[in-house]
PDB file of all heavy atoms in Angstrom:
ATOM      1  N   VAL A 255       6.267  -9.661 -16.470  1.00 99.00           N
ATOM      2  CA  VAL A 255       6.066  -8.483 -17.308  1.00 99.00           C
ATOM      3  C   VAL A 255       5.008  -7.640 -16.588  1.00 99.00           C
ATOM      4  O   VAL A 255       3.969  -8.160 -16.166  1.00 99.00           O
ATOM      5  CB  VAL A 255       5.669  -8.841 -18.753  1.00 99.00           C
ATOM      6  CG1 VAL A 255       4.447  -9.743 -18.814  1.00 99.00           C
ATOM      7  CG2 VAL A 255       5.447  -7.581 -19.571  1.00 99.00           C
ATOM      8  N   THR A 256       5.323  -6.371 -16.399  1.00 99.00           N
ATOM      9  CA  THR A 256       4.465  -5.498 -15.585  1.00 99.00           C
ATOM     10  C   THR A 256       3.794  -4.464 -16.469  1.00 99.00           C
ATOM     11  O   THR A 256       4.399  -3.986 -17.435  1.00 99.00           O
ATOM     12  CB  THR A 256       5.310  -4.847 -14.474  1.00 99.00           C
ATOM     13  OG1 THR A 256       5.844  -5.889 -13.655  1.00 99.00           O
ATOM     14  CG2 THR A 256       4.493  -3.905 -13.605  1.00 99.00           C
ATOM     15  N   MET A 257       2.543  -4.149 -16.168  1.00 99.00           N
ATOM     16  CA  MET A 257       1.756  -3.222 -17.000  1.00 99.00           C
ATOM     17  C   MET A 257       0.981  -2.237 -16.136  1.00 99.00           C
ATOM     18  O   MET A 257       0.675  -2.520 -14.991  1.00 99.00           O
ATOM     19  CB  MET A 257       0.741  -4.003 -17.841  1.00 99.00           C
ATOM     20  CG  MET A 257       1.387  -5.045 -18.711  1.00 99.00           C
ATOM     21  SD  MET A 257       0.177  -5.859 -19.758  1.00 99.00           S
ATOM     22  CE  MET A 257       1.245  -7.106 -20.477  1.00 99.00           C
ATOM     23  N   LYS A 258       0.665  -1.122 -16.763  1.00 98.00           N
ATOM     24  CA  LYS A 258      -0.224  -0.158 -16.117  1.00 98.00           C
ATOM     25  C   LYS A 258      -1.330   0.177 -17.104  1.00 98.00           C
ATOM     26  O   LYS A 258      -1.043   0.515 -18.264  1.00 98.00           O
ATOM     27  CB  LYS A 258       0.568   1.088 -15.738  1.00 98.00           C
ATOM     28  CG  LYS A 258      -0.201   2.065 -14.896  1.00 98.00           C
ATOM     29  CD  LYS A 258       0.688   3.209 -14.447  1.00 98.00           C
ATOM     30  CE  LYS A 258      -0.147   4.295 -13.816  1.00 98.00           C
ATOM     31  NZ  LYS A 258       0.618   5.510 -13.632  1.00 98.00           N
ATOM     32  N   THR A 259      -2.572   0.067 -16.655  1.00 98.00           N
ATOM     33  CA  THR A 259      -3.685   0.348 -17.549  1.00 98.00           C
ATOM     34  C   THR A 259      -3.920   1.864 -17.596  1.00 98.00           C
ATOM     35  O   THR A 259      -3.397   2.604 -16.767  1.00 98.00           O
ATOM     36  CB  THR A 259      -4.984  -0.331 -17.057  1.00 98.00           C
ATOM     37  OG1 THR A 259      -5.406   0.346 -15.868  1.00 98.00           O
ATOM     38  CG2 THR A 259      -4.784  -1.797 -16.754  1.00 98.00           C
ATOM     39  N   GLN A 260      -4.745   2.284 -18.536  1.00 98.00           N
ATOM     40  CA  GLN A 260      -5.022   3.723 -18.628  1.00 98.00           C
ATOM     41  C   GLN A 260      -5.705   4.258 -17.390  1.00 98.00           C
ATOM     42  O   GLN A 260      -5.525   5.410 -17.017  1.00 98.00           O
ATOM     43  CB  GLN A 260      -5.855   4.015 -19.868  1.00 98.00           C
ATOM     44  CG  GLN A 260      -4.923   4.152 -21.046  1.00 98.00           C
ATOM     45  CD  GLN A 260      -5.589   4.683 -22.274  1.00 98.00           C
ATOM     46  OE1 GLN A 260      -6.815   4.698 -22.366  1.00 98.00           O
ATOM     47  NE2 GLN A 260      -4.790   5.087 -23.243  1.00 98.00           N
ATOM     48  N   LYS A 261      -6.454   3.376 -16.716  1.00 97.00           N
ATOM     49  CA  LYS A 261      -7.118   3.807 -15.476  1.00 97.00           C
ATOM     50  C   LYS A 261      -6.183   3.761 -14.280  1.00 97.00           C
ATOM     51  O   LYS A 261      -6.583   4.051 -13.156  1.00 97.00           O
ATOM     52  CB  LYS A 261      -8.327   2.915 -15.207  1.00 97.00           C
ATOM     53  CG  LYS A 261      -9.511   3.232 -16.081  1.00 97.00           C
ATOM     54  CD  LYS A 261     -10.718   2.462 -15.593  1.00 97.00           C
ATOM     55  CE  LYS A 261     -11.907   2.679 -16.502  1.00 97.00           C
ATOM     56  NZ  LYS A 261     -12.838   1.545 -16.441  1.00 97.00           N
ATOM     57  N   GLY A 262      -4.948   3.320 -14.505  1.00 98.00           N
ATOM     58  CA  GLY A 262      -3.969   3.345 -13.418  1.00 98.00           C
ATOM     59  C   GLY A 262      -3.859   2.053 -12.625  1.00 98.00           C
ATOM     60  O   GLY A 262      -3.194   2.006 -11.599  1.00 98.00           O
ATOM     61  N   LEU A 263      -4.525   0.998 -13.100  1.00 98.00           N
ATOM     62  CA  LEU A 263      -4.400  -0.295 -12.426  1.00 98.00           C
ATOM     63  C   LEU A 263      -3.056  -0.920 -12.816  1.00 98.00           C
ATOM     64  O   LEU A 263      -2.650  -0.842 -13.973  1.00 98.00           O
ATOM     65  CB  LEU A 263      -5.553  -1.201 -12.863  1.00 98.00           C
ATOM     66  CG  LEU A 263      -5.889  -2.373 -11.955  1.00 98.00           C
ATOM     67  CD1 LEU A 263      -6.311  -1.891 -10.571  1.00 98.00           C
ATOM     68  CD2 LEU A 263      -7.002  -3.214 -12.572  1.00 98.00           C
ATOM     69  N   HIS A 264      -2.393  -1.542 -11.835  1.00 99.00           N
ATOM     70  CA  HIS A 264      -1.093  -2.155 -12.095  1.00 99.00           C
ATOM     71  C   HIS A 264      -1.242  -3.669 -12.145  1.00 99.00           C
ATOM     72  O   HIS A 264      -1.857  -4.265 -11.251  1.00 99.00           O
ATOM     73  CB  HIS A 264      -0.102  -1.766 -10.994  1.00 99.00           C
ATOM     74  CG  HIS A 264       0.240  -0.311 -11.015  1.00 99.00           C
ATOM     75  ND1 HIS A 264      -0.630   0.655 -10.567  1.00 99.00           N
ATOM     76  CD2 HIS A 264       1.343   0.333 -11.460  1.00 99.00           C
ATOM     77  CE1 HIS A 264      -0.068   1.839 -10.722  1.00 99.00           C
ATOM     78  NE2 HIS A 264       1.131   1.676 -11.263  1.00 99.00           N
ATOM     79  N   LEU A 265      -0.662  -4.272 -13.174  1.00 99.00           N
ATOM     80  CA  LEU A 265      -0.760  -5.717 -13.370  1.00 99.00           C
ATOM     81  C   LEU A 265       0.639  -6.275 -13.589  1.00 99.00           C
ATOM     82  O   LEU A 265       1.465  -5.631 -14.244  1.00 99.00           O
ATOM     83  CB  LEU A 265      -1.579  -6.051 -14.630  1.00 99.00           C
ATOM     84  CG  LEU A 265      -2.929  -5.370 -14.806  1.00 99.00           C
ATOM     85  CD1 LEU A 265      -3.495  -5.684 -16.188  1.00 99.00           C
ATOM     86  CD2 LEU A 265      -3.884  -5.864 -13.720  1.00 99.00           C
ATOM     87  N   SER A 266       0.892  -7.465 -13.064  1.00 99.00           N
ATOM     88  CA  SER A 266       2.146  -8.117 -13.405  1.00 99.00           C
ATOM     89  C   SER A 266       1.889  -9.599 -13.644  1.00 99.00           C
ATOM     90  O   SER A 266       1.221 -10.258 -12.836  1.00 99.00           O
ATOM     91  CB  SER A 266       3.181  -7.913 -12.304  1.00 99.00           C
ATOM     92  OG  SER A 266       4.439  -8.371 -12.773  1.00 99.00           O
ATOM     93  N   PHE A 267       2.396 -10.098 -14.762  1.00 99.00           N
ATOM     94  CA  PHE A 267       2.133 -11.474 -15.201  1.00 99.00           C
ATOM     95  C   PHE A 267       3.388 -12.314 -14.957  1.00 99.00           C
ATOM     96  O   PHE A 267       4.480 -11.945 -15.373  1.00 99.00           O
ATOM     97  CB  PHE A 267       1.790 -11.508 -16.690  1.00 99.00           C
ATOM     98  CG  PHE A 267       0.548 -10.758 -17.026  1.00 99.00           C
ATOM     99  CD1 PHE A 267       0.565  -9.376 -17.169  1.00 99.00           C
ATOM    100  CD2 PHE A 267      -0.665 -11.421 -17.180  1.00 99.00           C
ATOM    101  CE1 PHE A 267      -0.588  -8.672 -17.469  1.00 99.00           C
ATOM    102  CE2 PHE A 267      -1.831 -10.724 -17.483  1.00 99.00           C
ATOM    103  CZ  PHE A 267      -1.797  -9.348 -17.630  1.00 99.00           C
ATOM    104  N   HIS A 268       3.220 -13.449 -14.310  1.00 99.00           N
ATOM    105  CA  HIS A 268       4.376 -14.295 -14.017  1.00 99.00           C
ATOM    106  C   HIS A 268       3.879 -15.718 -13.811  1.00 99.00           C
ATOM    107  O   HIS A 268       2.777 -16.076 -14.250  1.00 99.00           O
ATOM    108  CB  HIS A 268       5.088 -13.730 -12.768  1.00 99.00           C
ATOM    109  CG  HIS A 268       6.401 -14.371 -12.464  1.00 99.00           C
ATOM    110  ND1 HIS A 268       7.378 -14.586 -13.412  1.00 99.00           N
ATOM    111  CD2 HIS A 268       6.930 -14.842 -11.283  1.00 99.00           C
ATOM    112  CE1 HIS A 268       8.441 -15.152 -12.837  1.00 99.00           C
ATOM    113  NE2 HIS A 268       8.186 -15.320 -11.557  1.00 99.00           N
ATOM    114  N   GLU A 269       4.686 -16.535 -13.157  1.00 99.00           N
ATOM    115  CA  GLU A 269       4.263 -17.886 -12.827  1.00 99.00           C
ATOM    116  C   GLU A 269       4.791 -18.253 -11.452  1.00 99.00           C
ATOM    117  O   GLU A 269       5.770 -17.665 -10.977  1.00 99.00           O
ATOM    118  CB  GLU A 269       4.725 -18.896 -13.884  1.00 99.00           C
ATOM    119  CG  GLU A 269       6.214 -18.962 -14.132  1.00 99.00           C
ATOM    120  CD  GLU A 269       6.534 -19.940 -15.265  1.00 99.00           C
ATOM    121  OE1 GLU A 269       6.041 -21.081 -15.234  1.00 99.00           O
ATOM    122  OE2 GLU A 269       7.279 -19.555 -16.175  1.00 99.00           O
TER     123      GLU A 269
END
Side-chain angles (χ1 to χ4, degrees):
V255 55
T256 299
M257 303 184 186
K258 188 174 170 192
T259 70
Q260 276 190 344
K261 284 189 184 154
L263 201 61
H264 293 75
L265 311 173
S266 189
F267 297 81
H268 189 47
E269 58 184 310

